[in-house]
Amino acid sequence: MDADYLTDFTSFRVKVGTVDAEHEDFVYTCRGDTIQVVKLVHGVKNCHWVTVPGGQQSLHCDTDTIESKTYSVQALRRNEAIE
């Protein structure tokens, strides 16, 4: 299990969560002051082969959202959240 943290290196550090690096990922989306973190699990549902640039074949499978969190950078800095 790997842990991910959200930090600005000076005023806050928040543990986002843990993932099984072989089957799960965190995806981060930033919009203004807001950071959305989505935890995805890679399954074996609806798998299909696709051709990627360079002509190589790659297996792509659907992912499912396990969890979603939204953070305000301003609020994290104001609260000086350190975990």
Side-chain angles (χ1 to χ4, degrees), residues 7-46:
T7 183
D8 72 349
F9 293 104
T10 58
S11 57
F12 69 86
R13 180 176 187 253
V14 176
K15 185 176 180 179
V16 173
T18 58
V19 292
D20 170 1
E22 188 173 336
H23 301 103
E24 301 169 334
D25 282 311
F26 285 113
V27 176
Y28 297 84
T29 305
C30 301
R31 289 195 181 102
D33 177 65
T34 303
I35 300 172
Q36 181 182 23
V37 182
V38 177
K39 185 176 182 179
L40 301 175
V41 63
H42 304 284
V44 292
K45 298 186 299 184
N46 301 320

Side-chain angles (χ1 to χ4, degrees), residues 22-82:
E22 188 173 336
H23 301 103
E24 301 169 334
D25 282 311
F26 285 113
V27 176
Y28 297 84
T29 305
C30 301
R31 289 195 181 102
D33 177 65
T34 303
I35 300 172
Q36 181 182 23
V37 182
V38 177
K39 185 176 182 179
L40 301 175
V41 63
H42 304 284
V44 292
K45 298 186 299 184
N46 301 320
C47 294
H48 57 279
W49 289 96
V50 296
T51 303
V52 296
Q56 295 180 346
Q57 292 286 308
S58 178
L59 184 63
H60 285 249
C61 301
D62 285 351
T63 57
D64 291 319
T65 299
I66 298 175
E67 185 177 356
S68 180
K69 298 179 185 178
T70 303
Y71 297 92
S72 162
V73 174
Q74 184 178 21
L76 290 170
R77 286 183 175 157
R78 183 174 49 244
N79 296 332
E80 296 183 0
I82 305 292

